[in-house]
Amino acid sequence: MSPFERKFGKYAIRNLSFVLVLCYAVGYVLQLAGGGGLVLSYLTLNPYAILHGQIWRLVTWVLIPPSSGGLFFTLLMLYFYCSLGTSLERTWGTYRYNVYLFQGMLFTIAGSFLLMGYCYLFKPEISMLGAALTIDTPHEYFTVIAMVFSTYYINMSIFLAFAALCAVILNQTRAGRYILCLGSNQEAVRLSGVNVKKWKMLAYVICGTLVGIAAIFFVAAYTTVQPGYGDQYNNEAIA
């Protein structure tokens, strides 16, 4: 246990993923309510507005929900966020998981202010409805794009962290080494006294589950699929 964890560990928020999902739920309710878009526009991470006194935006932007692909996929996505986040919290510990997520939030805030500086210097264009619009002031620019800033990308990093955890399990645990060896030389594994059928079935179950989860998120993002869509990802999966 590090000195920082001994000192600040007692302030760590338990079940932080569940807390974020509740924040999303509040954001969705505001979005669906009458005039919800106007209400959310006062909660977004808008650095220009923050520098002009609206400091509550430093906190309330966590209520901005990710774009939804329908009620079913939204609920499913939030369930997986909560489930994977809880698994990581149990593995890392509450304190480290809090540090991981809050660092992501702080970097998002810092990135928004850096983007405002870029806007001041270069006056970038925004493409809306196929037309490029030149924004003259940071206020106009961030009024347009402030809804982009949400904890969506932080939550997506949970999947990356979970993938890293799976890599550690595959390379540093007995079960992981069994599965890797099965892919290299199944007969040698069998002669070593390992139950090949058991571990092969486990590998298929894990891979099938992860493919199913990926397919659900793919459908949620693109809203349409074809039977051959998975073929284009064969090389990436093998690599």
Side-chain angles (χ1 to χ4, degrees):
M1 183 181 292
S2 67
F4 282 103
E5 186 172 356
R6 285 195 295 268
K7 186 174 182 180
F8 299 106
K10 60 184 177 181
Y11 300 112
I13 301 172
R14 295 186 180 276
N15 300 314
L16 184 56
S17 296
F18 184 70
V19 173
L20 286 177
V21 168
L22 288 180
C23 290
Y24 284 158
V26 173
Y28 281 122
V29 170
L30 292 175
Q31 198 173 52
L32 295 174
L38 180 62
V39 174
L40 286 180
S41 68
Y42 284 97
L43 304 178
T44 57
L45 180 57
N46 185 330
Y48 183 86
I50 292 171
L51 292 178
H52 287 75
Q54 299 180 16
I55 58 173
W56 65 82
R57 294 176 182 266
L58 288 170
V59 177
T60 57
W61 69 278
V62 300
L63 298 176
I64 306 301
S67 58
S68 67
L71 179 61
F72 173 75
F73 288 113
T74 298
L75 292 176
L76 197 61
M77 176 183 64
L78 295 180
Y79 169 77
F80 281 122
Y81 282 161
C82 198
S83 178
L84 294 181
T86 301
S87 298
L88 287 175
E89 183 175 344
R90 289 173 181 170
T91 304
W92 291 349
T94 301
Y95 172 78
R96 290 182 177 86
Y97 185 63
N98 273 242
V99 170
Y100 178 74
L101 287 187
F102 282 118
Q103 274 185 341
M105 293 179 187
L106 290 175
F107 283 132
T108 301
I109 293 173
S112 70
F113 280 94
L114 290 174
L115 183 60
M116 186 181 71
Y118 174 84
C119 179
Y120 268 112
L121 293 174
F122 301 104
K123 295 184 178 180
E125 294 182 344
I126 298 179
S127 178
M128 295 183 64
L129 301 177
L133 302 178
T134 300
I135 305 300
D136 294 325
T137 67
H139 172 67
E140 295 175 358
Y141 184 79
F142 282 98
T143 299
V144 174
I145 71 161
M147 290 293 289
V148 173
F149 296 110
S150 75
T151 54
Y152 170 76
Y153 298 104
I154 299 169
N155 283 326
M156 289 306 293
S157 71
I158 291 176
F159 288 90
L160 295 177
F162 197 77
L165 179 62
C166 289
V168 172
I169 291 174
L170 279 175
N171 290 281
Q172 303 297 329
T173 67
R174 183 179 64 177
R177 288 193 291 269
Y178 283 169
I179 292 174
L180 288 177
C181 290
L182 279 173
S184 300
N185 192 327
Q186 181 174 316
E187 184 63 19
V189 175
R190 186 185 67 80
L191 293 174
S192 299
V194 177
N195 188 336
V196 171
K197 290 184 178 179
K198 170 188 172 181
W199 291 104
K200 184 190 289 187
M201 181 61 68
L202 180 62
Y204 280 129
V205 169
I206 293 173
C207 291
T209 301
L210 294 177
V211 168
I213 293 172
I216 290 170
F217 278 90
F218 185 92
V219 174
Y222 295 99
T223 69
T224 182
V225 292
Q226 296 292 334
Y229 269 7
D231 294 343
Q232 58 185 317
Y233 298 104
N234 284 340
N235 291 334
E236 287 85 347
I238 293 171

